[in-house]
């Protein structure tokens, strides 16, 4: 990963989209719940599910575990795949309480905490790193589909690198700068949703001047309609 290029991309995106002040949540535990529920769905759907949990006074690990599985599923239904996510959320809450909760987990070093998060059913690398970065403020980079698409279109990566390899290459450049890691992931997500889509809106992109993919797509002007 070219350090100068990465920092240039960050500066441009941050100036255009930021500051975003991620992750929205009133507590570390709420951020963790959001990280699990946001798998394969839009954040707006997660907000509805979390609002349901709050209205039911169930946004706490003990309360989630006390709910009948069917009731928990209905509360988080807006997030999609609610039966699967209900099981994953219950597994996470069980693990969370068995370890002693946020106060104990916060004292663990990042490597140990990440390893243990990955041992929880339904918590993969992206979810674990979301939790590490946004709930525990650890210096990790979250790799997602938006990251791969943007970096590959910019010619910074091939796009098929293993998750851990791509994560480590970015962390090697940024180091322990948690606010920058936080904002970088946030602006990539927003840019990927709004501009660098599967069908990109290159004319709206602040990175077009340095994007070989975008320049190739916009090499020729649109054809002028023929007069009847």
């Amino acid at each position: 990963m070219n350090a100068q290029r990465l920092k240039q991309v960050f500066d441009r995106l941050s100036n255009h989209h930021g500051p975003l002040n991620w992750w929205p949540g009133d507590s570390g535990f709420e951020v963790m719940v959001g990280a699990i529920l946001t798998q394969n769905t839009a954040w707006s759907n997660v907000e509805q599910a979390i609002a349901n949990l709050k209205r039911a006074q169930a946004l706490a690990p003990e309360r989630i575990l006390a709910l009948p599985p069917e009731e928990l599923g209905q509360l988080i239904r807006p997030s999609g795949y609610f039966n699967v996510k209900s099981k994953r959320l219950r597994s996470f809450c069980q693990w969370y309480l068995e370890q002693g909760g946020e106060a104990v987990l916060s004292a663990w070093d990042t490597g140990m905490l990440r390893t243990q998060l990955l041992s929880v059913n339904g918590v993969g690398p992206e979810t674990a790193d979301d939790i590490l970065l946004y709930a525990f403020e650890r210096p990790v980079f979250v790799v997602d589909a938006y990251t791969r698409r943007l970096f590959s279109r910019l010619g910074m990566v091939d796009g098929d690198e293993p998750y851990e390899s791509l994560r480590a290459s970015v962390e090697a450049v940024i180091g322990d700068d948690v606010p920058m890691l936080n904002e970088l992931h946030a602006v990539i997500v927003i840019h990927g949703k709004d501009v660098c889509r599967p069908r990109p809106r290159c004319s709206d992109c602040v990175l077009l001047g340095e994007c070989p993919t975008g320049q190739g797509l916009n090499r020729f002007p649109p054809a002028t309609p023929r007069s009847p």
Side-chain angles (χ1 to χ4, degrees), residues 156-192:
M156 298 168 64
V157 300
D158 293 332
D160 57 356
E161 289 83 356
Y163 184 100
E164 299 300 335
S165 174
L166 185 50
R167 178 179 70 86
S169 67
V170 174
E171 291 174 9
V173 172
I174 299 179
D176 293 338
D177 191 339
V178 172
M180 184 175 177
L181 287 162
N182 178 316
E183 187 74 0
L184 177 59
H185 176 61
V187 294
I188 287 174
V189 171
I190 295 301
H191 195 70

Side-chain angles (χ1 to χ4, degrees), residues 67-96:
L67 288 171
E70 298 79 9
E71 184 176 347
L72 176 59
Q74 288 305 308
L75 289 172
I76 66 171
R77 190 184 186 97
S79 68
Y81 303 99
F82 58 93
N83 287 325
V84 172
K85 290 183 180 180
S86 176
K87 293 178 182 177
R88 290 178 178 177
L89 190 54
R90 290 175 61 85
S91 294
F92 177 81
C93 289
Q94 187 68 47
W95 171 86
Y96 178 87

